[in-house]
Amino acid sequence: MNLASKQTTFALTTPLYYVNDLPHVGSAYTTMAADALARFQRLRGQEVLLITGTDEHGQKIQRTAEKLGRSPQAHCDEIAAGFQQLWQLLDIQVDRFSRTTAAPHKAIVAEFFQRVWQAGDIYEGRQQGWYCVSCEEYKEERELLSNKHCPIHVNTAAEWRDEPNYFFRLSNYQQKLEAFYQANPDFIQPETRRNEVLNFVAQGLQDFSISRAQVSWGLPLPVNPEQTIYVWFDALLGYITALLEPGDKPTLDNALRKWWPINLHLIGKDILRFHAIYWPAMLLSAGLPLPGRVFGHGFLTKDGQKMGKSLGNIINPFELVERYKPDAIRYYFLKEIEFGRDGDFNEERFVQILNANLANDLGNLLQRTLKIAQKSCGGKVPAVDLASLEVDSLKVSGVTLGEQVATAYEHLAFDKACELALNLVRQGNKFVDEHKPWALYKEGKTDLANQVLYSVLESARLAAFLLSPIIPNISQEIYRQLGYSGTIPNNWEHASWGILQAGQSLPEPSPVFARLEVQATG
Ligand code: MSP
């Protein structure tokens, strides 16, 4: 599948994060993946919109602010700023930061609500059930642990609720959703998540309440201002609000004009039902086309347990980024954990992987060959004739690598994308060992030596280009050391073989990745 030839825009989202606390590595994980994919799509020449933001209403936030003795809005402002700061530190290129307390959002929610109301899909009823405030979700009794705690938030008891609420007729959409899943087998990924959703839907969909009688921190329900809108109904619409151009009048028409339907929602597996069932049903009710794809990734665990604010076992990403810099963190999480599966964070492993892959394999390949070029080629990329370049084993691998890596990114197989690029790097190191270009120069076999050196430098360039969505700073530095000025171009031609210009001047080389030491956690 070649997305680049099919479309010109690509909009993707991370979840809008709750602001009950500053981000932890779990929230950073989705955002790093989203940024890597966004950067890949930009390299492919797409116009990209990366949406992230914060989900600021609801009982969880209201209670957190109360505990801290702050107004909910002041609390949200502070935490939302923390998220924005972390995204900057991690070099996330955010196009839209959507906050659900922003004024345009209120207008979008009101207009959307009216559409669903007019479709006859909202009615008054009575909600009784167990509510997990941390999930902001009613749970079936059978889903809870024996002590009535939620299995995701084992420290928190679910609370019994019995109140008048307004309901959304999810049950109306059972067949339409099933037909949609059938017609769009790629809508929910990976396959295991798709099966989870299909099984859940097959059990029969129940209407769900979309208002709250006792939560004041929320948007007023248009048809009964005594109640507020359920935080999830409000939050999902934050994706639409994000599509407004700055300064646009906040109407659905304006928001949906350019980027709708969103191509991809990246989420964690715990919020799959909201995105793969509730959200498409709400959109069908409002008469809107459905998003392209929902991908539910796994959990980052620490000692086997989901890392989370409610469990208090978080790894602080601000500390990590200060200690190890953004590329290292991005690389570890995207390379080490198959996207879609759970993965454990271990600092020793972290240091080991980075040193092996980025310092030893990639950094070393570049250093050793750039030094030879300084010494034997007058500080220039060897003067080979590109048109008549011999086909060597690196070129054989290099010519097909771009499309293989593209396929991996398109399937969100970041680990595979890294592995493929790294294979070329490893092959490059072996190639240098075998052909010993320094010896060839000494023996006066200059043409052959030039060929060898060119192939290796070109391999390093190609690997850097293909890894740039994941390690943007290191890749940029490699390009600079290969004699390029300016930023790595958003031009997929650079994924081909033979792009490095023969005779290009090379600056003095220096290590692109300094070896790491395990440091004690503060
Ligand atoms: N506010 C909702 C999302 C609304 S989207 C319209 C929410 N927020 S959250 O902050 O609790 O979680 C946001 C995302 O972070 C979810 O996708 C969740 O799966 C992810 N993660 C939270 N903890 C995580 C890990 N330990 N590991 C990986 N992802 C984790 O849900």
Side-chain angles (χ1 to χ4, degrees), residues 485-500:
S485 57
T487 48
I488 293 181
N490 282 333
N491 178 354
W492 195 250
E493 290 224 329
H494 276 237
S496 346
W497 182 264
I499 292 296
L500 190 63

Side-chain angles (χ1 to χ4, degrees), residues 255-288:
L256 299 169
R257 186 169 301 130
K258 178 164 180 187
W259 297 96
W260 191 263
I262 283 171
N263 300 74
L264 172 67
H265 291 302
L266 274 183
I267 55 163
K269 62 183 179 180
D270 53 335
I271 54 176
L272 187 63
R273 275 183 211 171
F274 294 102
H275 286 80
I277 303 173
Y278 292 19
W279 178 225
M282 285 162 60
L283 292 165
L284 286 171
S285 172
L288 298 181

Side-chain angles (χ1 to χ4, degrees), residues 15-18 24 26 55 232 239 268 270-271 297 300 306-307:
L16 305 183
Y17 300 103
Y18 284 130
H24 57 82
D55 178 359
W232 266 101
Y239 294 141
D270 53 335
I271 54 176
H297 64 68
L300 299 186
K306 178 185 178 238
M307 203 186 291

Side-chain angles (χ1 to χ4, degrees), residues 438-489:
W438 60 91
L440 294 174
Y441 281 116
K442 252 194 207 150
E443 291 161 21
K445 296 179 181 159
T446 310
D447 279 354
L448 187 56
N450 282 348
Q451 291 257 357
V452 168
L453 204 59
Y454 178 87
S455 279
V456 180
L457 290 173
E458 175 60 357
S459 299
R461 182 207 61 78
L462 180 57
F465 180 79
L466 297 173
L467 288 172
S468 68
I470 295 176
I471 47 168
N473 300 294
I474 293 173
S475 293
Q476 181 63 51
E477 177 57 15
I478 293 176
Y479 257 59
R480 193 191 69 75
Q481 294 204 24
L482 287 171
Y484 289 96
S485 57
T487 48
I488 293 181

Side-chain angles (χ1 to χ4, degrees), residues 1-21:
M1 176 173 55
N2 184 344
L3 289 177
S5 59
K6 276 198 209 145
Q7 52 186 161
T8 56
T9 61
F10 191 91
L12 77 167
T13 68
T14 74
L16 305 183
Y17 300 103
Y18 284 130
V19 288
N20 53 319
D21 207 343

